[in-house]
Amino acid sequence: MSLFSAISVSASGMEAQRVRAELIAGNLANADTTRTPDGGPYRRRDAVFTTAPVEGSFADNLAAAGVRVASISVDASDPERRYLPGHPDADKDGYVAFPKIHPPEEMVDLMGASRGYEANVAAIATVKDMIGRALDLFK
Amino acid sequence: MHVDLGAYLSYLTRRQEVVASNIANADTPGYKTHDVGMPGDFSTAFAQFTALPEETPGLVSRNDGNNVSIDRESRLLAENDIRFNLATQLLRGEIRTYKMAIEEGRDS
């Protein structure tokens, strides 16, 4: 019965979307962070998804697969400069480097992650029902 | 004609797996929607449905090369569920008949 691997596939989708939501939460929380251990302002992070075979399934075929976070991309573009001469992190011209994070964009992304998570949950619920009915055959 | 319901269930299981995979990869750049075609004849007994999923033609790709339509997938999810329900109901009927025969026609 490979309905169980369908659950694994959806679970991998849930995990990936959760990681994405976590990164978005981190971006929103650090929208005004001007100081990081690496130096400079915080940089926007985003999850890069890739297909991945799920453990213990699809032995004969890798075309249908789960998903995983392949890497976390860090925004390398120039930070936003704001003129704040009194700021402790201001450079000699009085400009402070702020992360290039736009909250509306992050919120839309967060909605996408949340909907994706929901879709995977719905898939698991359906497959669970199917397994239940298959077990009912023995009654 | 005896239809192999087990094979049909195998097919539905396989399809649900592929649909789950499409949903999981709805945000994976470059991923293409896959589907398994229904065999023309289920009457030939085969224990496990083995057809490979193929790319589904005619879907619009987004900028990231992904063409998963979440509406299509949720429809298929529901459709497969209903078909699975139907098939298990039929199978239960079949099993009940065997049970009755074993119990010499006594109603259990």
PDB file of all heavy atoms in Angstrom, chain B residues 70-107:
ATOM      1  N   ILE B  70      -3.195  24.481  -8.731  1.00  0.00           N
ATOM      2  CA  ILE B  70      -3.664  23.949  -7.460  1.00  0.00           C
ATOM      3  C   ILE B  70      -5.157  23.588  -7.538  1.00  0.00           C
ATOM      4  O   ILE B  70      -5.615  22.663  -6.867  1.00  0.00           O
ATOM      5  CB  ILE B  70      -3.335  24.932  -6.302  1.00  0.00           C
ATOM      6  CG1 ILE B  70      -3.190  24.181  -4.983  1.00  0.00           C
ATOM      7  CG2 ILE B  70      -4.327  26.038  -6.196  1.00  0.00           C
ATOM      8  CD1 ILE B  70      -1.887  23.471  -4.827  1.00  0.00           C
ATOM      9  N   ASP B  71      -5.899  24.274  -8.413  1.00  0.00           N
ATOM     10  CA  ASP B  71      -7.322  23.963  -8.581  1.00  0.00           C
ATOM     11  C   ASP B  71      -7.500  22.595  -9.216  1.00  0.00           C
ATOM     12  O   ASP B  71      -8.324  21.799  -8.789  1.00  0.00           O
ATOM     13  CB  ASP B  71      -7.998  25.020  -9.453  1.00  0.00           C
ATOM     14  CG  ASP B  71      -7.753  26.418  -8.942  1.00  0.00           C
ATOM     15  OD1 ASP B  71      -7.980  26.628  -7.746  1.00  0.00           O
ATOM     16  OD2 ASP B  71      -7.317  27.266  -9.721  1.00  0.00           O
ATOM     17  N   ARG B  72      -6.679  22.345 -10.235  1.00  0.00           N
ATOM     18  CA  ARG B  72      -6.747  21.051 -10.910  1.00  0.00           C
ATOM     19  C   ARG B  72      -6.410  19.931  -9.926  1.00  0.00           C
ATOM     20  O   ARG B  72      -7.080  18.904  -9.892  1.00  0.00           O
ATOM     21  CB  ARG B  72      -5.756  21.040 -12.078  1.00  0.00           C
ATOM     22  CG  ARG B  72      -5.674  19.709 -12.798  1.00  0.00           C
ATOM     23  CD  ARG B  72      -4.566  19.704 -13.841  1.00  0.00           C
ATOM     24  NE  ARG B  72      -4.519  18.409 -14.511  1.00  0.00           N
ATOM     25  CZ  ARG B  72      -3.844  17.368 -14.080  1.00  0.00           C
ATOM     26  NH1 ARG B  72      -3.159  17.460 -12.967  1.00  0.00           N
ATOM     27  NH2 ARG B  72      -3.848  16.239 -14.741  1.00  0.00           N
ATOM     28  N   GLU B  73      -5.372  20.168  -9.120  1.00  0.00           N
ATOM     29  CA  GLU B  73      -4.919  19.126  -8.192  1.00  0.00           C
ATOM     30  C   GLU B  73      -5.952  18.862  -7.101  1.00  0.00           C
ATOM     31  O   GLU B  73      -6.169  17.726  -6.716  1.00  0.00           O
ATOM     32  CB  GLU B  73      -3.573  19.495  -7.577  1.00  0.00           C
ATOM     33  CG  GLU B  73      -2.447  19.722  -8.579  1.00  0.00           C
ATOM     34  CD  GLU B  73      -2.309  18.618  -9.608  1.00  0.00           C
ATOM     35  OE1 GLU B  73      -2.451  17.441  -9.256  1.00  0.00           O
ATOM     36  OE2 GLU B  73      -2.066  18.949 -10.788  1.00  0.00           O
ATOM     37  N   SER B  74      -6.585  19.929  -6.606  1.00  0.00           N
ATOM     38  CA  SER B  74      -7.575  19.679  -5.545  1.00  0.00           C
ATOM     39  C   SER B  74      -8.804  18.990  -6.117  1.00  0.00           C
ATOM     40  O   SER B  74      -9.440  18.188  -5.430  1.00  0.00           O
ATOM     41  CB  SER B  74      -7.929  20.960  -4.790  1.00  0.00           C
ATOM     42  OG  SER B  74      -8.223  21.989  -5.676  1.00  0.00           O
ATOM     43  N   ARG B  75      -9.120  19.279  -7.359  1.00  0.00           N
ATOM     44  CA  ARG B  75     -10.226  18.562  -8.006  1.00  0.00           C
ATOM     45  C   ARG B  75      -9.886  17.073  -8.108  1.00  0.00           C
ATOM     46  O   ARG B  75     -10.703  16.214  -7.760  1.00  0.00           O
ATOM     47  CB  ARG B  75     -10.479  19.124  -9.412  1.00  0.00           C
ATOM     48  CG  ARG B  75     -11.486  18.325 -10.216  1.00  0.00           C
ATOM     49  CD  ARG B  75     -11.705  18.925 -11.591  1.00  0.00           C
ATOM     50  NE  ARG B  75     -10.544  18.816 -12.474  1.00  0.00           N
ATOM     51  CZ  ARG B  75     -10.252  17.727 -13.189  1.00  0.00           C
ATOM     52  NH1 ARG B  75     -10.988  16.648 -13.097  1.00  0.00           N
ATOM     53  NH2 ARG B  75      -9.189  17.724 -13.969  1.00  0.00           N
ATOM     54  N   LEU B  76      -8.674  16.794  -8.571  1.00  0.00           N
ATOM     55  CA  LEU B  76      -8.260  15.391  -8.723  1.00  0.00           C
ATOM     56  C   LEU B  76      -8.222  14.686  -7.374  1.00  0.00           C
ATOM     57  O   LEU B  76      -8.582  13.506  -7.269  1.00  0.00           O
ATOM     58  CB  LEU B  76      -6.876  15.318  -9.378  1.00  0.00           C
ATOM     59  CG  LEU B  76      -6.838  15.596 -10.870  1.00  0.00           C
ATOM     60  CD1 LEU B  76      -5.418  15.460 -11.390  1.00  0.00           C
ATOM     61  CD2 LEU B  76      -7.757  14.648 -11.618  1.00  0.00           C
ATOM     62  N   LEU B  77      -7.785  15.425  -6.348  1.00  0.00           N
ATOM     63  CA  LEU B  77      -7.719  14.861  -4.998  1.00  0.00           C
ATOM     64  C   LEU B  77      -9.115  14.396  -4.579  1.00  0.00           C
ATOM     65  O   LEU B  77      -9.292  13.260  -4.115  1.00  0.00           O
ATOM     66  CB  LEU B  77      -7.202  15.937  -4.047  1.00  0.00           C
ATOM     67  CG  LEU B  77      -6.656  15.512  -2.693  1.00  0.00           C
ATOM     68  CD1 LEU B  77      -5.376  14.726  -2.863  1.00  0.00           C
ATOM     69  CD2 LEU B  77      -6.401  16.719  -1.820  1.00  0.00           C
ATOM     70  N   ALA B  78     -10.105  15.284  -4.775  1.00  0.00           N
ATOM     71  CA  ALA B  78     -11.483  14.956  -4.396  1.00  0.00           C
ATOM     72  C   ALA B  78     -12.029  13.835  -5.276  1.00  0.00           C
ATOM     73  O   ALA B  78     -12.664  12.892  -4.782  1.00  0.00           O
ATOM     74  CB  ALA B  78     -12.346  16.203  -4.527  1.00  0.00           C
ATOM     75  N   GLU B  79     -11.754  13.928  -6.579  1.00  0.00           N
ATOM     76  CA  GLU B  79     -12.261  12.948  -7.529  1.00  0.00           C
ATOM     77  C   GLU B  79     -11.732  11.548  -7.183  1.00  0.00           C
ATOM     78  O   GLU B  79     -12.501  10.577  -7.142  1.00  0.00           O
ATOM     79  CB  GLU B  79     -11.793  13.361  -8.925  1.00  0.00           C
ATOM     80  CG  GLU B  79     -12.575  12.756 -10.058  1.00  0.00           C
ATOM     81  CD  GLU B  79     -12.000  13.193 -11.391  1.00  0.00           C
ATOM     82  OE1 GLU B  79     -12.066  14.401 -11.696  1.00  0.00           O
ATOM     83  OE2 GLU B  79     -11.462  12.324 -12.106  1.00  0.00           O
ATOM     84  N   ASN B  80     -10.426  11.458  -6.934  1.00  0.00           N
ATOM     85  CA  ASN B  80      -9.817  10.173  -6.587  1.00  0.00           C
ATOM     86  C   ASN B  80     -10.414   9.607  -5.321  1.00  0.00           C
ATOM     87  O   ASN B  80     -10.621   8.402  -5.204  1.00  0.00           O
ATOM     88  CB  ASN B  80      -8.316  10.340  -6.381  1.00  0.00           C
ATOM     89  CG  ASN B  80      -7.558  10.166  -7.665  1.00  0.00           C
ATOM     90  OD1 ASN B  80      -8.025   9.494  -8.572  1.00  0.00           O
ATOM     91  ND2 ASN B  80      -6.395  10.756  -7.742  1.00  0.00           N
ATOM     92  N   ASP B  81     -10.673  10.493  -4.366  1.00  0.00           N
ATOM     93  CA  ASP B  81     -11.249  10.090  -3.093  1.00  0.00           C
ATOM     94  C   ASP B  81     -12.613   9.436  -3.316  1.00  0.00           C
ATOM     95  O   ASP B  81     -12.908   8.374  -2.773  1.00  0.00           O
ATOM     96  CB  ASP B  81     -11.366  11.328  -2.193  1.00  0.00           C
ATOM     97  CG  ASP B  81     -11.751  10.978  -0.776  1.00  0.00           C
ATOM     98  OD1 ASP B  81     -11.271   9.937  -0.299  1.00  0.00           O
ATOM     99  OD2 ASP B  81     -12.525  11.732  -0.165  1.00  0.00           O
ATOM    100  N   ILE B  82     -13.438  10.088  -4.151  1.00  0.00           N
ATOM    101  CA  ILE B  82     -14.787   9.574  -4.418  1.00  0.00           C
ATOM    102  C   ILE B  82     -14.707   8.236  -5.149  1.00  0.00           C
ATOM    103  O   ILE B  82     -15.414   7.282  -4.822  1.00  0.00           O
ATOM    104  CB  ILE B  82     -15.597  10.604  -5.230  1.00  0.00           C
ATOM    105  CG1 ILE B  82     -15.851  11.848  -4.382  1.00  0.00           C
ATOM    106  CG2 ILE B  82     -16.902  10.010  -5.711  1.00  0.00           C
ATOM    107  CD1 ILE B  82     -16.278  13.061  -5.166  1.00  0.00           C
ATOM    108  N   ARG B  83     -13.805   8.157  -6.129  1.00  0.00           N
ATOM    109  CA  ARG B  83     -13.646   6.902  -6.874  1.00  0.00           C
ATOM    110  C   ARG B  83     -13.180   5.779  -5.958  1.00  0.00           C
ATOM    111  O   ARG B  83     -13.620   4.636  -6.081  1.00  0.00           O
ATOM    112  CB  ARG B  83     -12.607   7.083  -7.985  1.00  0.00           C
ATOM    113  CG  ARG B  83     -13.122   7.873  -9.147  1.00  0.00           C
ATOM    114  CD  ARG B  83     -12.004   8.091 -10.126  1.00  0.00           C
ATOM    115  NE  ARG B  83     -12.404   8.993 -11.182  1.00  0.00           N
ATOM    116  CZ  ARG B  83     -12.019   8.841 -12.441  1.00  0.00           C
ATOM    117  NH1 ARG B  83     -11.259   7.847 -12.786  1.00  0.00           N
ATOM    118  NH2 ARG B  83     -12.408   9.700 -13.348  1.00  0.00           N
ATOM    119  N   PHE B  84     -12.261   6.122  -5.072  1.00  0.00           N
ATOM    120  CA  PHE B  84     -11.746   5.132  -4.124  1.00  0.00           C
ATOM    121  C   PHE B  84     -12.880   4.642  -3.237  1.00  0.00           C
ATOM    122  O   PHE B  84     -13.003   3.443  -2.975  1.00  0.00           O
ATOM    123  CB  PHE B  84     -10.640   5.772  -3.277  1.00  0.00           C
ATOM    124  CG  PHE B  84      -9.753   4.791  -2.553  1.00  0.00           C
ATOM    125  CD1 PHE B  84      -8.615   4.281  -3.159  1.00  0.00           C
ATOM    126  CD2 PHE B  84     -10.051   4.380  -1.268  1.00  0.00           C
ATOM    127  CE1 PHE B  84      -7.791   3.386  -2.502  1.00  0.00           C
ATOM    128  CE2 PHE B  84      -9.238   3.482  -0.596  1.00  0.00           C
ATOM    129  CZ  PHE B  84      -8.106   2.982  -1.217  1.00  0.00           C
ATOM    130  N   ASN B  85     -13.720   5.575  -2.808  1.00  0.00           N
ATOM    131  CA  ASN B  85     -14.890   5.251  -1.999  1.00  0.00           C
ATOM    132  C   ASN B  85     -15.787   4.251  -2.719  1.00  0.00           C
ATOM    133  O   ASN B  85     -16.169   3.216  -2.167  1.00  0.00           O
ATOM    134  CB  ASN B  85     -15.663   6.549  -1.710  1.00  0.00           C
ATOM    135  CG  ASN B  85     -16.541   6.424  -0.492  1.00  0.00           C
ATOM    136  OD1 ASN B  85     -16.546   5.391   0.170  1.00  0.00           O
ATOM    137  ND2 ASN B  85     -17.286   7.462  -0.194  1.00  0.00           N
ATOM    138  N   LEU B  86     -16.083   4.578  -3.975  1.00  0.00           N
ATOM    139  CA  LEU B  86     -16.933   3.711  -4.798  1.00  0.00           C
ATOM    140  C   LEU B  86     -16.332   2.315  -4.908  1.00  0.00           C
ATOM    141  O   LEU B  86     -17.018   1.301  -4.696  1.00  0.00           O
ATOM    142  CB  LEU B  86     -17.087   4.336  -6.185  1.00  0.00           C
ATOM    143  CG  LEU B  86     -17.801   3.474  -7.236  1.00  0.00           C
ATOM    144  CD1 LEU B  86     -19.283   3.444  -6.951  1.00  0.00           C
ATOM    145  CD2 LEU B  86     -17.545   3.985  -8.629  1.00  0.00           C
ATOM    146  N   ALA B  87     -15.037   2.265  -5.230  1.00  0.00           N
ATOM    147  CA  ALA B  87     -14.377   0.974  -5.446  1.00  0.00           C
ATOM    148  C   ALA B  87     -14.366   0.140  -4.162  1.00  0.00           C
ATOM    149  O   ALA B  87     -14.603  -1.074  -4.209  1.00  0.00           O
ATOM    150  CB  ALA B  87     -12.954   1.195  -5.950  1.00  0.00           C
ATOM    151  N   THR B  88     -14.117   0.793  -3.020  1.00  0.00           N
ATOM    152  CA  THR B  88     -14.094   0.022  -1.767  1.00  0.00           C
ATOM    153  C   THR B  88     -15.495  -0.474  -1.407  1.00  0.00           C
ATOM    154  O   THR B  88     -15.645  -1.574  -0.889  1.00  0.00           O
ATOM    155  CB  THR B  88     -13.510   0.841  -0.590  1.00  0.00           C
ATOM    156  OG1 THR B  88     -14.080   2.135  -0.598  1.00  0.00           O
ATOM    157  CG2 THR B  88     -12.014   0.949  -0.665  1.00  0.00           C
ATOM    158  N   GLN B  89     -16.520   0.335  -1.716  1.00  0.00           N
ATOM    159  CA  GLN B  89     -17.904  -0.105  -1.467  1.00  0.00           C
ATOM    160  C   GLN B  89     -18.202  -1.359  -2.281  1.00  0.00           C
ATOM    161  O   GLN B  89     -18.777  -2.327  -1.772  1.00  0.00           O
ATOM    162  CB  GLN B  89     -18.902   0.999  -1.847  1.00  0.00           C
ATOM    163  CG  GLN B  89     -18.865   2.217  -0.950  1.00  0.00           C
ATOM    164  CD  GLN B  89     -19.353   1.939   0.459  1.00  0.00           C
ATOM    165  OE1 GLN B  89     -20.117   1.012   0.678  1.00  0.00           O
ATOM    166  NE2 GLN B  89     -18.878   2.708   1.415  1.00  0.00           N
ATOM    167  N   LEU B  90     -17.812  -1.341  -3.556  1.00  0.00           N
ATOM    168  CA  LEU B  90     -18.044  -2.491  -4.438  1.00  0.00           C
ATOM    169  C   LEU B  90     -17.294  -3.708  -3.914  1.00  0.00           C
ATOM    170  O   LEU B  90     -17.829  -4.829  -3.881  1.00  0.00           O
ATOM    171  CB  LEU B  90     -17.591  -2.171  -5.869  1.00  0.00           C
ATOM    172  CG  LEU B  90     -18.455  -1.178  -6.629  1.00  0.00           C
ATOM    173  CD1 LEU B  90     -17.778  -0.788  -7.930  1.00  0.00           C
ATOM    174  CD2 LEU B  90     -19.825  -1.773  -6.916  1.00  0.00           C
ATOM    175  N   LEU B  91     -16.054  -3.472  -3.495  1.00  0.00           N
ATOM    176  CA  LEU B  91     -15.223  -4.571  -3.003  1.00  0.00           C
ATOM    177  C   LEU B  91     -15.825  -5.162  -1.728  1.00  0.00           C
ATOM    178  O   LEU B  91     -15.809  -6.377  -1.522  1.00  0.00           O
ATOM    179  CB  LEU B  91     -13.811  -4.037  -2.742  1.00  0.00           C
ATOM    180  CG  LEU B  91     -12.669  -5.056  -2.778  1.00  0.00           C
ATOM    181  CD1 LEU B  91     -12.688  -5.839  -4.062  1.00  0.00           C
ATOM    182  CD2 LEU B  91     -11.336  -4.335  -2.628  1.00  0.00           C
ATOM    183  N   ARG B  92     -16.361  -4.301  -0.899  1.00  0.00           N
ATOM    184  CA  ARG B  92     -17.001  -4.779   0.335  1.00  0.00           C
ATOM    185  C   ARG B  92     -18.162  -5.694   0.007  1.00  0.00           C
ATOM    186  O   ARG B  92     -18.359  -6.731   0.645  1.00  0.00           O
ATOM    187  CB  ARG B  92     -17.520  -3.599   1.155  1.00  0.00           C
ATOM    188  CG  ARG B  92     -16.481  -2.923   1.977  1.00  0.00           C
ATOM    189  CD  ARG B  92     -17.098  -1.846   2.801  1.00  0.00           C
ATOM    190  NE  ARG B  92     -17.567  -2.376   4.071  1.00  0.00           N
ATOM    191  CZ  ARG B  92     -17.750  -1.624   5.143  1.00  0.00           C
ATOM    192  NH1 ARG B  92     -17.525  -0.346   5.082  1.00  0.00           N
ATOM    193  NH2 ARG B  92     -18.156  -2.154   6.259  1.00  0.00           N
ATOM    194  N   GLY B  93     -18.933  -5.289  -1.020  1.00  0.00           N
ATOM    195  CA  GLY B  93     -20.055  -6.106  -1.465  1.00  0.00           C
ATOM    196  C   GLY B  93     -19.585  -7.481  -1.879  1.00  0.00           C
ATOM    197  O   GLY B  93     -20.168  -8.509  -1.512  1.00  0.00           O
ATOM    198  N   GLU B  94     -18.478  -7.486  -2.643  1.00  0.00           N
ATOM    199  CA  GLU B  94     -17.910  -8.743  -3.131  1.00  0.00           C
ATOM    200  C   GLU B  94     -17.477  -9.621  -1.956  1.00  0.00           C
ATOM    201  O   GLU B  94     -17.766 -10.822  -1.913  1.00  0.00           O
ATOM    202  CB  GLU B  94     -16.694  -8.431  -4.003  1.00  0.00           C
ATOM    203  CG  GLU B  94     -16.665  -9.184  -5.310  1.00  0.00           C
ATOM    204  CD  GLU B  94     -15.526  -8.690  -6.189  1.00  0.00           C
ATOM    205  OE1 GLU B  94     -14.389  -9.146  -5.969  1.00  0.00           O
ATOM    206  OE2 GLU B  94     -15.785  -7.851  -7.069  1.00  0.00           O
ATOM    207  N   ILE B  95     -16.793  -8.995  -1.004  1.00  0.00           N
ATOM    208  CA  ILE B  95     -16.296  -9.739   0.156  1.00  0.00           C
ATOM    209  C   ILE B  95     -17.464 -10.293   0.966  1.00  0.00           C
ATOM    210  O   ILE B  95     -17.419 -11.421   1.460  1.00  0.00           O
ATOM    211  CB  ILE B  95     -15.389  -8.828   1.024  1.00  0.00           C
ATOM    212  CG1 ILE B  95     -14.079  -8.547   0.287  1.00  0.00           C
ATOM    213  CG2 ILE B  95     -15.092  -9.470   2.371  1.00  0.00           C
ATOM    214  CD1 ILE B  95     -13.212  -7.484   0.936  1.00  0.00           C
ATOM    215  N   ARG B  96     -18.540  -9.504   1.057  1.00  0.00           N
ATOM    216  CA  ARG B  96     -19.719  -9.949   1.802  1.00  0.00           C
ATOM    217  C   ARG B  96     -20.302 -11.215   1.172  1.00  0.00           C
ATOM    218  O   ARG B  96     -20.746 -12.123   1.870  1.00  0.00           O
ATOM    219  CB  ARG B  96     -20.755  -8.824   1.843  1.00  0.00           C
ATOM    220  CG  ARG B  96     -21.717  -8.947   3.021  1.00  0.00           C
ATOM    221  CD  ARG B  96     -22.626  -7.741   3.112  1.00  0.00           C
ATOM    222  NE  ARG B  96     -21.893  -6.502   3.306  1.00  0.00           N
ATOM    223  CZ  ARG B  96     -22.086  -5.397   2.595  1.00  0.00           C
ATOM    224  NH1 ARG B  96     -22.961  -5.389   1.609  1.00  0.00           N
ATOM    225  NH2 ARG B  96     -21.389  -4.316   2.839  1.00  0.00           N
ATOM    226  N   THR B  97     -20.282 -11.237  -0.152  1.00  0.00           N
ATOM    227  CA  THR B  97     -20.800 -12.417  -0.858  1.00  0.00           C
ATOM    228  C   THR B  97     -19.991 -13.656  -0.495  1.00  0.00           C
ATOM    229  O   THR B  97     -20.550 -14.724  -0.209  1.00  0.00           O
ATOM    230  CB  THR B  97     -20.708 -12.193  -2.387  1.00  0.00           C
ATOM    231  OG1 THR B  97     -21.165 -10.884  -2.669  1.00  0.00           O
ATOM    232  CG2 THR B  97     -21.529 -13.208  -3.136  1.00  0.00           C
ATOM    233  N   TYR B  98     -18.654 -13.513  -0.518  1.00  0.00           N
ATOM    234  CA  TYR B  98     -17.792 -14.646  -0.162  1.00  0.00           C
ATOM    235  C   TYR B  98     -18.050 -15.090   1.269  1.00  0.00           C
ATOM    236  O   TYR B  98     -18.116 -16.274   1.565  1.00  0.00           O
ATOM    237  CB  TYR B  98     -16.310 -14.254  -0.295  1.00  0.00           C
ATOM    238  CG  TYR B  98     -15.874 -14.015  -1.716  1.00  0.00           C
ATOM    239  CD1 TYR B  98     -15.046 -12.939  -2.039  1.00  0.00           C
ATOM    240  CD2 TYR B  98     -16.277 -14.871  -2.745  1.00  0.00           C
ATOM    241  CE1 TYR B  98     -14.652 -12.714  -3.334  1.00  0.00           C
ATOM    242  CE2 TYR B  98     -15.884 -14.642  -4.049  1.00  0.00           C
ATOM    243  CZ  TYR B  98     -15.077 -13.567  -4.340  1.00  0.00           C
ATOM    244  OH  TYR B  98     -14.677 -13.329  -5.627  1.00  0.00           O
ATOM    245  N   LYS B  99     -18.206 -14.103   2.147  1.00  0.00           N
ATOM    246  CA  LYS B  99     -18.451 -14.390   3.555  1.00  0.00           C
ATOM    247  C   LYS B  99     -19.717 -15.226   3.709  1.00  0.00           C
ATOM    248  O   LYS B  99     -19.751 -16.213   4.450  1.00  0.00           O
ATOM    249  CB  LYS B  99     -18.616 -13.072   4.316  1.00  0.00           C
ATOM    250  CG  LYS B  99     -17.571 -12.843   5.394  1.00  0.00           C
ATOM    251  CD  LYS B  99     -17.847 -11.500   6.029  1.00  0.00           C
ATOM    252  CE  LYS B  99     -17.077 -11.272   7.286  1.00  0.00           C
ATOM    253  NZ  LYS B  99     -17.223  -9.866   7.714  1.00  0.00           N
ATOM    254  N   MET B 100     -20.737 -14.802   2.968  1.00  0.00           N
ATOM    255  CA  MET B 100     -22.017 -15.517   3.041  1.00  0.00           C
ATOM    256  C   MET B 100     -21.865 -16.963   2.583  1.00  0.00           C
ATOM    257  O   MET B 100     -22.429 -17.882   3.179  1.00  0.00           O
ATOM    258  CB  MET B 100     -23.066 -14.809   2.177  1.00  0.00           C
ATOM    259  CG  MET B 100     -24.079 -14.033   2.984  1.00  0.00           C
ATOM    260  SD  MET B 100     -25.146 -13.076   1.911  1.00  0.00           S
ATOM    261  CE  MET B 100     -26.309 -14.329   1.391  1.00  0.00           C
ATOM    262  N   ALA B 101     -21.070 -17.127   1.516  1.00  0.00           N
ATOM    263  CA  ALA B 101     -20.846 -18.480   0.994  1.00  0.00           C
ATOM    264  C   ALA B 101     -20.123 -19.326   2.036  1.00  0.00           C
ATOM    265  O   ALA B 101     -20.464 -20.502   2.258  1.00  0.00           O
ATOM    266  CB  ALA B 101     -20.026 -18.413  -0.288  1.00  0.00           C
ATOM    267  N   ILE B 102     -19.134 -18.734   2.711  1.00  0.00           N
ATOM    268  CA  ILE B 102     -18.362 -19.452   3.719  1.00  0.00           C
ATOM    269  C   ILE B 102     -19.260 -19.847   4.887  1.00  0.00           C
ATOM    270  O   ILE B 102     -19.179 -20.952   5.410  1.00  0.00           O
ATOM    271  CB  ILE B 102     -17.173 -18.565   4.216  1.00  0.00           C
ATOM    272  CG1 ILE B 102     -16.159 -18.412   3.107  1.00  0.00           C
ATOM    273  CG2 ILE B 102     -16.508 -19.195   5.443  1.00  0.00           C
ATOM    274  CD1 ILE B 102     -15.131 -17.335   3.352  1.00  0.00           C
ATOM    275  N   GLU B 103     -20.160 -18.904   5.218  1.00  0.00           N
ATOM    276  CA  GLU B 103     -21.036 -19.178   6.351  1.00  0.00           C
ATOM    277  C   GLU B 103     -22.322 -19.898   5.919  1.00  0.00           C
ATOM    278  O   GLU B 103     -23.356 -19.803   6.576  1.00  0.00           O
ATOM    279  CB  GLU B 103     -21.365 -17.865   7.071  1.00  0.00           C
ATOM    280  CG  GLU B 103     -20.163 -17.344   7.845  1.00  0.00           C
ATOM    281  CD  GLU B 103     -20.266 -15.850   8.147  1.00  0.00           C
ATOM    282  OE1 GLU B 103     -21.272 -15.229   7.786  1.00  0.00           O
ATOM    283  OE2 GLU B 103     -19.302 -15.327   8.736  1.00  0.00           O
ATOM    284  N   GLU B 104     -22.253 -20.572   4.800  1.00  0.00           N
ATOM    285  CA  GLU B 104     -23.346 -21.405   4.275  1.00  0.00           C
ATOM    286  C   GLU B 104     -24.649 -20.625   4.150  1.00  0.00           C
ATOM    287  O   GLU B 104     -25.727 -21.150   4.445  1.00  0.00           O
ATOM    288  CB  GLU B 104     -23.541 -22.634   5.167  1.00  0.00           C
ATOM    289  CG  GLU B 104     -22.299 -23.519   5.186  1.00  0.00           C
ATOM    290  CD  GLU B 104     -22.366 -24.590   6.276  1.00  0.00           C
ATOM    291  OE1 GLU B 104     -23.463 -24.738   6.852  1.00  0.00           O
ATOM    292  OE2 GLU B 104     -21.361 -25.226   6.513  1.00  0.00           O
ATOM    293  N   GLY B 105     -24.513 -19.371   3.721  1.00  0.00           N
ATOM    294  CA  GLY B 105     -25.723 -18.609   3.433  1.00  0.00           C
ATOM    295  C   GLY B 105     -26.428 -18.034   4.639  1.00  0.00           C
ATOM    296  O   GLY B 105     -27.410 -17.332   4.500  1.00  0.00           O
ATOM    297  N   ARG B 106     -25.913 -18.384   5.814  1.00  0.00           N
ATOM    298  CA  ARG B 106     -26.530 -17.786   7.012  1.00  0.00           C
ATOM    299  C   ARG B 106     -26.223 -16.297   7.040  1.00  0.00           C
ATOM    300  O   ARG B 106     -25.121 -15.873   6.734  1.00  0.00           O
ATOM    301  CB  ARG B 106     -25.953 -18.438   8.277  1.00  0.00           C
ATOM    302  CG  ARG B 106     -26.572 -19.753   8.621  1.00  0.00           C
ATOM    303  CD  ARG B 106     -26.173 -20.109  10.033  1.00  0.00           C
ATOM    304  NE  ARG B 106     -24.716 -20.153  10.166  1.00  0.00           N
ATOM    305  CZ  ARG B 106     -23.998 -21.274  10.184  1.00  0.00           C
ATOM    306  NH1 ARG B 106     -24.602 -22.446  10.090  1.00  0.00           N
ATOM    307  NH2 ARG B 106     -22.700 -21.242  10.312  1.00  0.00           N
ATOM    308  N   ASP B 107     -27.205 -15.522   7.411  1.00  0.00           N
ATOM    309  CA  ASP B 107     -26.955 -14.088   7.516  1.00  0.00           C
ATOM    310  C   ASP B 107     -26.116 -13.820   8.751  1.00  0.00           C
ATOM    311  O   ASP B 107     -26.421 -14.321   9.826  1.00  0.00           O
ATOM    312  CB  ASP B 107     -28.300 -13.350   7.639  1.00  0.00           C
ATOM    313  CG  ASP B 107     -28.492 -12.413   6.462  1.00  0.00           C
ATOM    314  OD1 ASP B 107     -27.462 -12.083   5.831  1.00  0.00           O
ATOM    315  OD2 ASP B 107     -29.628 -12.053   6.178  1.00  0.00           O
TER     316      ASP B 107
END
